[in-house]
């Protein structure tokens, strides 16, 4: 038995006078009793080894606890509470073992009766409904199915207050997407970008950007026509700048370092002395100078 219940209130009331050492000995003895499911051995040497009693104080604590809470019999030291708990545990284990051999726990009588009553009610329900409906005329049944609170007889006037709802084309029509005024939009873009306004409006993805703009601002129903036009103008300008940056990134650039040093028509000479041909040559006259004697 690896588990047992412990009532702390009962334990404290019965062991309030014990020392801390005796509490440890008593709990160890109880654990050993439940674990082995048999009385403690009578031999003191074997008992001391079981409870790990080494010193004389520990051995004396074992003797005191045994004398007070256990009963010395021929089979060993017996504890009444442990014996009752073990009998209950063993009886339950035996019952579970038998039920497992039969295939599980047997159904209780109450559950069987409930299942039988439920099946009987299911069988009787359609017959009762048929008998109840047979007494009602067919005309009354058809009307009551639609309006159970009003019962009509055979001699009733036709119902004329039938309201029909016709759905018009306006109700089914989806809301149209917003489209800006071209002149107003061009004026707004010209204020910011000047001559680029025509290029911005001539972008090939103009309708695509307009659809994205409407999808982004569809919940902003409180925007006026002027505010919406200005926001769309800013939207187009940003998309146009993205397009320009993309074109500049992929267009080839020629820097001053990448330009050829010599024209392609003129062959490049690999002779070092040819570089001195273009040097300027002095062709003037050289005048003689007189050096004074005390120059040095």
């Amino acid at each position: 038995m690896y588990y047992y219940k412990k009532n702390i209130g009962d334990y404290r009331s019965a062991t309030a006078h014990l020392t801390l050492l005796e509490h440890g000995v008593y709990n160890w003895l109880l654990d050993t009793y439940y674990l082995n499911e048999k009385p403690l051995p009578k031999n003191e040497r074997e008992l001391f080894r079981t409870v790990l009693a080494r010193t004389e104080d520990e051995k004396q604590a074992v003797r005191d606890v045994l004398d007070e809470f256990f009963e010395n019999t021929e089979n060993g030291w017996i504890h009444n509470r442990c014996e009752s708990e073990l009998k209950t545990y063993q009886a339950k284990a035996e019952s579970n073992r038998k039920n497992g051999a039969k295939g599980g726990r047997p159904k209780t009588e109450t559950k069987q009766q409930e299942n039988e009553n439920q099946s009987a009610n299911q069988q009787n329900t359609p017959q009762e409904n048929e008998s109840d409906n047979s007494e009602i005329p067919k005309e009354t049944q058809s009307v009551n199915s639609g309006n159970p609170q009003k019962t009509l007889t055979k001699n009733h006037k036709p119902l004329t207050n039938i309201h029909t709802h016709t759905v018009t084309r306006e109700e089914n029509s989806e809301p149209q997407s917003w489209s800006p005024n071209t002149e107003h939009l061009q004026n707004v873009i010209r204020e910011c970008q000047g001559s680029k306004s025509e290029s911005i409006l001539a972008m090939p993805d103009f309708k695509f950007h307009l659809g994205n703009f409407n999808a982004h601002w569809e919940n902003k129903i409180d925007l006026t026509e002027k505010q919406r036009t200005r926001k769309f103008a800013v939207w187009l300008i940003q998309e146009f700048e993205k397009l320009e940056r993309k074109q500049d990134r992929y267009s080839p650039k020629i820097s001053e370092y990448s330009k050829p040093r010599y024209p392609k028509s003129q062959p490049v000479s690999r002779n070092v002395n040819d570089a001195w041909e273009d040097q300027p040559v002095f062709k003037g006259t050289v005048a003689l100078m007189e050096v004074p004697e005390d120059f040095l």
Side-chain angles (χ1 to χ4, degrees):
M1 183 177 179
Y2 298 98
Y3 168 80
Y4 66 92
K5 295 181 180 180
K6 180 179 179 180
N7 192 322
I8 300 175
D10 294 345
Y11 178 83
R12 288 287 180 89
S13 61
T15 60
H17 60 284
L18 298 181
T19 62
L20 185 60
L21 178 60
E22 291 173 344
H23 276 291
V25 170
Y26 189 26
N27 281 279
W28 191 274
L29 292 174
L30 291 176
D31 293 344
T32 305
Y33 203 111
Y34 283 117
L35 184 63
N36 297 330
E37 298 183 11
K38 62 181 181 179
L40 299 175
K42 295 180 64 175
N43 188 0
E44 282 193 352
R45 182 179 178 83
E46 183 181 357
L47 186 61
F48 291 156
R49 288 183 61 84
T50 303
V51 297
L52 307 178
R54 299 289 186 267
T55 63
E56 290 297 329
D57 294 338
E58 294 173 351
K59 293 178 181 180
Q60 187 60 38
V62 173
R63 296 188 187 98
D64 294 339
V65 171
L66 288 173
D67 292 338
E68 184 174 358
F69 298 101
F70 291 83
E71 182 180 356
N72 191 2
T73 62
E74 296 179 356
N75 298 326
W77 292 94
I78 294 177
H79 193 280
N80 295 329
R81 180 65 177 271
C82 293
E83 286 295 324
S84 62
E85 292 290 338
L86 286 174
K87 288 180 181 179
T88 304
Y89 167 76
Q90 292 172 357
K92 187 175 181 181
E94 184 65 22
S95 176
N96 293 337
R97 192 178 299 109
K98 291 180 180 179
N99 293 333
K102 294 179 181 179
R105 294 182 179 179
K107 294 183 179 180
T108 58
E109 295 180 358
T110 56
K111 290 185 178 180
Q112 290 179 355
Q113 292 178 358
E114 290 178 359
N115 295 333
E116 292 176 358
N117 295 334
Q118 187 176 3
S119 60
N121 292 332
Q122 291 178 356
Q123 294 177 359
N124 295 330
T125 300
Q127 297 177 0
E128 294 176 358
N129 292 337
E130 290 177 359
S131 61
D132 294 340
N133 293 333
S134 61
E135 298 177 359
I136 303 174
K138 294 182 179 180
E139 293 82 1
T140 307
Q141 293 177 13
S142 61
V143 175
N144 288 343
S145 61
N147 189 3
Q149 297 180 356
K150 187 174 182 180
T151 304
L152 300 178
T153 59
K154 294 182 179 180
N155 299 326
H156 67 276
K157 296 181 180 180
L159 298 176
T160 58
N161 55 349
I162 300 175
H163 300 281
T164 58
H165 180 70
T166 57
V167 181
T168 59
R169 184 178 299 178
E170 295 179 356
E171 294 177 355
N172 286 333
S173 61
E174 297 180 356
Q176 296 180 356
S177 59
W178 174 81
S179 59
N181 187 354
T182 307
E183 295 181 0
H184 187 199
L185 179 63
Q186 187 174 5
N187 293 333
V188 174
I189 297 176
R190 188 180 290 111
E191 292 177 1
C192 301
Q193 297 294 322
S195 59
K196 290 184 179 181
S197 60
E198 297 180 357
S199 301
I200 294 174
L201 293 176
M203 283 193 301
D205 296 336
F206 179 83
K207 293 183 178 180
F208 174 75
H209 297 316
L210 179 60
N212 291 340
F213 176 80
N214 288 330
H216 182 75
W217 294 97
E218 61 181 355
N219 295 328
K220 293 290 184 179
I221 58 176
D222 55 343
L223 291 176
T224 62
E225 181 70 18
K226 189 174 182 180
Q227 292 175 346
R228 195 176 293 271
T229 303
R230 287 190 174 276
K231 288 184 179 295
F232 183 56
V234 175
W235 185 289
L236 289 178
I237 292 171
Q238 292 176 354
E239 295 296 334
F240 183 76
E241 291 176 352
K242 291 179 183 178
L243 183 62
E244 283 186 336
R245 288 194 296 268
K246 186 176 180 181
Q247 291 177 354
D248 294 341
R249 189 183 303 116
Y250 293 102
S251 60
K253 295 181 180 180
I254 300 175
S255 61
E256 58 180 354
Y257 298 102
S258 61
K259 294 180 181 179
R261 187 172 181 180
Y262 300 98
K264 294 182 179 180
S265 60
Q266 182 180 359
V268 180
S269 177
R270 296 182 180 276
N271 190 358
V272 180
N273 297 325
D274 292 342
W276 296 96
E277 294 180 357
D278 298 334
Q279 297 296 327
V281 179
F282 182 75
K283 297 181 180 181
T285 58
V286 179
L288 298 176
M289 296 180 62
E290 294 182 358
V291 180
E293 296 179 356
D294 57 350
F295 180 74
L296 300 176

